Amino acid sequence: ARLLDEALKALLPHRPGVPDLYVVGFGGDSTEDVFRNEIVHLDSLMTQRFGARGRVLTLVNHSDSLIRTPRPLANLESLRTALRGVAAKMGDEDVLLLFMTMHGTPEHRLVALMPPAFLDMIDPRELRDALDNAGIRHRVLAISACYSGGFVPALESPRTLVITAAHRKRPSFGCGPDSDATFFGRAWMIDALNETTDFVEAFEIAKRSIAAREKTEGYPPSKPQIAVGKDIL
């Protein structure tokens, strides 16, 4: 809680008349390095390439967050607090990118895990309520998790872009102890967003890349999903 409070106080405020990008990264499972890795890359990418320096907040469940690189932990309550705190710094013209990477269940819940301290199961309604209650208007929501397409109906709105790693009935791939990045995290964030700064174009690039990789490596199609609100672009 102290680390989160300090991180929120350090965020730069909005600049009137300038559409700033604010970023929240959420690495949900402390038992695998891959989720921590993706949030670390997100921080670097958004700071250096997307001009969000001073407006990036990362929540990471990992042993590094306790000792080596102290960061606020990633659970439902810290996410709610982070979104409220970020919203207080944002202006009406600003945009939030929320990138969440973790395991997902067939019942469409995201697993925020830091044993033995806590296990949170975040469902689509809870995530939508956290965003609505914070008052964030313009949203880019990217969820890298199995079955994450099940979050689209609850999250979509005219001012929201929703991107998920998989269809609501499909797993996504690339987690595990030997992985540096998930299939989706590598294809969309690491590769495609280094080709273009357009989130939608990057999704289309990543979708093709993931399909080709899954076919080559013998995985069933994960079918990444996208929902583009009519006002967000």
Side-chain angles (χ1 to χ4, degrees):
R2 177 181 57 80
L3 288 173
L4 181 52
D5 183 60
E6 291 172 356
L8 288 169
K9 288 179 179 178
L11 287 178
L12 296 178
H14 73 97
R15 296 173 292 176
V18 178
D20 283 314
L21 176 67
Y22 284 79
V23 180
V24 175
F26 189 100
D29 191 328
S30 69
T31 66
E32 296 184 21
D33 291 348
V34 63
F35 306 117
R36 182 275 316 270
N37 295 346
E38 291 191 350
I39 298 304
V40 170
H41 183 84
L42 174 77
D43 191 345
S44 176
L45 178 71
M46 292 298 139
T47 296
Q48 297 176 22
R49 179 166 166 78
F50 282 78
R53 185 179 300 277
R55 295 182 173 88
V56 179
L57 176 63
T58 56
L59 311 175
V60 182
N61 292 338
H62 193 275
S63 59
D64 282 359
S65 295
L66 303 178
I67 302 170
R68 186 180 304 171
T69 311
R71 291 188 180 89
L73 299 181
N75 55 41
L76 180 56
E77 187 54 39
S78 66
L79 179 62
R80 288 168 172 156
T81 301
L83 293 175
R84 290 195 301 267
V86 169
K89 296 293 183 85
M90 296 177 69
D92 288 343
E93 67 271 37
D94 296 336
V95 177
L96 169 74
L97 167 62
L98 172 61
F99 180 83
M100 306 181 76
T101 178
M102 68 200 77
H103 292 296
T105 74
E107 297 77 28
H108 308 139
R109 291 179 172 86
L110 300 176
V111 182
L113 176 64
M114 184 78 178
F118 60 82
L119 167 62
D120 277 358
M121 306 291 281
I122 303 173
D123 67 33
R125 190 70 252 172
E126 287 172 322
L127 182 54
R128 177 62 186 260
D129 286 347
L131 291 157
D132 287 350
N133 292 338
I136 295 172
R137 298 184 67 206
H138 305 118
R139 310 166 181 177
V140 177
L141 310 176
I143 305 177
S144 180
C146 293
Y147 310 103
S148 47
F151 278 70
V152 172
L155 297 180
E156 61 185 348
S157 77
R159 292 195 179 96
T160 302
L161 167 63
V162 186
I163 294 170
T164 69
H167 183 272
R168 64 186 180 88
K169 294 184 178 181
R170 298 291 182 108
S172 54
F173 306 102
C175 57
D178 299 324
S179 180
D180 292 329
T182 62
F183 283 19
F184 178 81
R186 179 167 298 282
W188 184 70
M189 181 176 59
I190 297 174
D191 293 338
L193 286 180
N194 274 301
E195 292 184 37
T196 176
T197 55
D198 184 314
F199 292 136
V200 175
E201 183 182 2
F203 173 83
E204 297 301 333
I205 295 170
K207 184 178 178 180
R208 293 191 295 269
S209 173
I210 291 167
R213 181 175 180 182
E214 289 170 340
K215 183 176 181 179
T216 298
E217 298 186 18
Y219 291 95
S222 55
K223 298 186 177 181
Q225 301 291 299
I226 187 169
V228 184
K230 64 183 181 65
D231 298 328
I232 188 62
L233 293 182

